[in-house]
Amino acid sequence: MKWMLVLVLAGCGSAPLAPQRVEVPVFTPCVKVAPRRPAYEFDQLTPVVKDGEIVLALVRDWLRGRKYEGELEAIIEGCLSIASPPSVHVLDLPPRSVPMASKEALQPIPPAG
């Protein structure tokens, strides 16, 4: 029984380990706020509108779309500039000899018939 008490107390004799700081990479999105998609006028037209009204709506929507595309491209460009390119390893291997096929192997196969 005494030896059990000695073993239990021996475990208390060592000092506890100090906490260690471990840095773990965590994904954080590069886009904080996505631009709001514009409400296109063409999507709200009824099927009975005249061709001229459709063309005018498409022209106005084109301008809205170009602005929206510009905002998206700016966000994508910002994300790409943050990301680091993947590392590429170039291997310099000695050239190998490639076996050539025999002339018999290159002859066309006659059709079955």
Side-chain angles (χ1 to χ4, degrees), residues 29-75:
C30 64
V31 178
K32 303 298 181 203
V33 178
R36 196 170 140 253
R37 187 175 188 270
Y40 291 112
E41 190 177 329
F42 179 79
D43 295 336
Q44 300 166 0
L45 292 177
T46 59
V48 295
V49 296
K50 297 179 182 176
D51 291 343
E53 294 175 21
I54 292 174
V55 170
L56 290 175
L58 288 172
V59 169
R60 287 189 288 267
D61 287 347
W62 183 79
L63 295 173
R64 287 186 191 109
R66 294 298 290 178
K67 180 182 175 196
Y68 180 64
E69 287 174 17
E71 292 172 357
L72 289 176
E73 287 175 356
I75 289 173

Side-chain angles (χ1 to χ4, degrees), residues 19-40:
Q20 293 180 338
R21 180 179 175 160
V22 178
E23 295 185 15
V24 178
V26 178
F27 172 75
T28 55
C30 64
V31 178
K32 303 298 181 203
V33 178
R36 196 170 140 253
R37 187 175 188 270
Y40 291 112

